[in-house]
Amino acid sequence: MSALHEGSPRGHVLVVDDELSMREYLEILLVRDGYAVTSVPAVAAACEVLARDSVDLVISDMKLGPGGSGLDVLRAARSRKEPPEVVLITAFGTPTSAVEAMREGAYDYICKPFDNEELRQLVHKALEKRALRQENSTLKERLLPGMGGLMVGNSPRMRALWHLVEKVAPGRSTVLVTGESGTGKELVARAIHLRGQRAAQPFLPFNCGALNEGVLESELFGHMKGSFTGATHERPGLLVSAGEGTVMLDEVGEMPLSTQVKLLRVLQERKVKPVGSAAEIPFHARVIAATNRRLEAEVKAGRFREDLFYRLNVITLELPALRERPDDIPPLATHFLARLSEELGRPALRFAPETLALMERYAFPGNVRQLQNMVERAATLSDSDLLGPTTLPPTVRGEAEPQARSGEAGEPAMGPGFNLERYLDDSERRHLLAALKQAQGVKTRAAELLGLSFRSFRYRLAKHGLTDELDEPTPRA
């Protein structure tokens, strides 16, 4: 066994070959290019090096005598926690076994006799791939912890969900993420993106319910210069702009039927036709759709195309409501408070046990988003580092909201415990519910009744954590 290096190495290469002359030849070639090199004659010695040292690349001959083969070296390398890339050397004209090894995870193979420059390029590309993989891994470790708190908790439903995330992340299949408002559908979509091979590529979330039909298609599919008023230049859509990244189609259940037809064709053909263009452009991004609606019911009601539903519903991840996993509420609340403590510069902030118990018993119609807002409110408004039950809204404590009493000349009188912010929030929520009821669940009509734009109305619904049951139109008699 020998180990050679000069200066600051560009990477550690393990050479495995039972011929001394080949080992020496490869050592000289690689060291001259700035790599640290360890060379061994057999599988057993290679396994020792892999177990002891950090190795970036293995170059192994396929035939290693009676002690094993290059396949054995490959399997030992692939079993490491951070496996090195593996390049196999095979005899000219007999690459069949090397191709099989590539199916088991080898980076590539090279036939004897080989050109020095060919080997240099292969080594460079293999180490470049490993560096990119390590960079992606670092990126995931930096971005994934907690995922905004969604990964905090140990309920069976969430463990099952994250097991599915890990399984679907490496593939390219379309994923449908369902769940009530505030459960964290975008965070799940980001986790799928970051856990897969696309982590270094863009993640582009897009709200399908926020734009009218023409703008929606332009944003998704792109447009040509002059295709409509204001189209002063050519613009690629999100599906093309994402490259090999991920596009999340949020609120896909609110997409107009005419756009649904076009999206179905786009997903089937993996090509987009920009607005105003006669040519189709291929795209390579993964598509993740999300909705707080029950699409099966939308299909039956004629508001969502059945063929698009089946196209999106290849793999479905359903997020449980927070009330369905109450054991996760204390760790989630503590997680959010820890983050706020750092932001506010108040490291001693903590919940009283009775405060956590009250939150655990509350139904949280607004799910994780509502819990996060509640913790932020308590931490911001509390003068004490110990957050007791009084820092929670009255509804969580099981009390009625304090009401203002009429004073002289019709002016409101502020009673004990009155809080203007709570009063206005409660009033806004009651008016939203009343408008929805009067409009029989039709949101556009409810927005008109309140003198709001549809977008503003939707924002206020989300702020108050109103679930999709409230959005369902009531059938007319």
Side-chain angles (χ1 to χ4, degrees), residues 147 150-151 158-166 187-188 191:
M147 284 302 298
L150 189 65
M151 294 180 73
M158 292 308 291
R159 288 203 305 270
L161 174 69
W162 289 110
H163 176 68
L164 282 175
V165 167
E166 293 289 352
L187 294 177
V188 169

Side-chain angles (χ1 to χ4, degrees), residues 39 47 49 135 169 190 199 220 262 271 364 392 398 430:
S39 67
C47 291
V49 175
E135 183 180 330
R190 286 185 183 274
L220 276 179
K262 296 175 182 177
K271 294 178 181 178
F364 283 100
L392 300 177
R430 285 188 285 108

Side-chain angles (χ1 to χ4, degrees), residues 3 5 61-62 65 89 94 140 149 182 202 234 245-246 251 268 297 322 333 342 350 355 391 447 454 462 466:
H5 62 85
D61 196 357
M62 280 295 295
I89 300 175
T94 58
K140 292 175 192 176
E234 184 178 330
T246 302
E251 298 185 16
Q268 288 174 336
L322 189 55
E342 186 176 344
R350 64 196 187 282
T355 306
T391 62
F454 180 67
L466 297 177

Side-chain angles (χ1 to χ4, degrees), residues 34 50 53 80 88 99-100 118 140 146 210 222 239 253 255 282 294 307 309 353 370 388 399 413 451 470:
L50 289 167
D53 300 336
R80 307 306 303 163
L88 296 167
V99 173
E100 180 63 29
E118 181 185 3
K140 292 175 192 176
L239 290 168
M255 181 179 285
R294 290 181 288 274
D307 45 9
F309 169 65
Q370 184 185 8
E399 303 171 6
L470 298 173

